[in-house]
Amino acid sequence: MKGQYEVFVSKDDFKFNAAHFVAYPGFRERLHGHNYRVSVRVEGDRGPDGYVVDFGDIKTAARSVCGELNERVIVPMKSSSVEIRVEDGQVAMTCEDGSSFSLPEQDCVLLPIEHSSAEELAAYVCQRIVDSMDALHTRRLSVLEVSVAEALNQEARFRVDL
Ligand code: ZN
């Protein structure tokens, strides 16, 4: 029968606990945290082994990126409204409203994003999985989609065509 295969993986350990605040010109959230959860969806052709993709490859890639983000303060390095300086092992963030934070660099994760919204985090995690998962390039996969949930039933998704 003609159809399209899809694989979805969401595991209890696809999660990271992190602190953040979203800021844009004229607005800043207070620093707060979420127990983020990640899931991954792939579309593609079934290979000769019967799989679209090995679940293990997805699990390894997703757990790796979750580990990098876990128990960190997320710092959006491309922010247009937070001035960020990294020196002597400290990350200094100065906001438009005059508030400032200084945190040990080892407690932060510096990401190439503009805002630490669930949307931009989903795009970042998606990019990291694309970069780290060799199977994405050796199998005939067409779509990778990553969901990042800040809370139950509150999530953002980012999808790329491969
Ligand atoms: Zn938040």
Side-chain angles (χ1 to χ4, degrees):
M1 193 166 70
K2 203 165 160 48
Q4 174 67 52
Y5 289 102
E6 187 174 305
V7 167
F8 178 76
V9 190
S10 171
K11 307 294 285 183
D12 284 346
D13 61 354
F14 286 10
K15 66 178 180 187
F16 57 96
N17 306 328
H20 83 139
F21 59 87
V22 170
Y24 50 83
F27 175 79
R28 177 177 76 80
E29 289 184 318
R30 286 197 300 275
L31 183 67
H32 65 281
H34 296 284
N35 298 319
Y36 290 96
R37 305 197 73 92
V38 170
S39 62
V40 180
R41 189 177 70 82
V42 173
E43 290 178 20
D45 294 338
R46 179 176 53 80
D49 54 5
Y51 301 132
V52 171
V53 64
D54 189 328
F55 286 122
D57 290 338
I58 295 178
K59 288 187 222 172
T60 300
R63 284 172 181 150
S64 171
V65 64
C66 286
E68 293 165 13
L69 299 169
N70 192 41
E71 296 180 352
R72 309 277 176 148
V73 177
I74 297 168
V75 180
M77 296 300 287
K78 293 184 174 175
S79 175
S80 58
S81 61
V82 182
E83 189 191 310
I84 299 163
R85 276 180 299 112
V86 182
E87 54 187 37
D88 301 330
Q90 286 290 120
V91 177
M93 291 185 273
T94 306
C95 306
E96 271 187 335
D97 61 6
S99 55
S100 63
F101 302 85
S102 179
L103 298 159
E105 188 175 357
Q106 65 194 13
D107 288 19
C108 299
V109 60
L110 312 180
L111 299 187
I113 58 178
E114 188 177 353
H115 313 91
S116 55
S117 59
E119 287 83 343
E120 291 191 44
L121 290 173
Y124 171 76
V125 172
C126 190
Q127 182 64 56
R128 291 281 293 110
I129 290 176
V130 167
D131 291 344
S132 69
M133 214 172 113
D134 292 340
L136 288 181
H137 311 291
T138 56
R139 288 191 173 261
R140 299 200 322 188
L141 305 177
S142 52
V143 171
L144 174 72
E145 183 180 277
V146 167
S147 158
V148 169
E150 287 185 341
L152 193 63
N153 299 322
Q154 180 177 321
E155 65 184 50
R157 296 179 191 168
F158 186 80
R159 181 176 63 245
V160 282
D161 293 324
L162 300 168

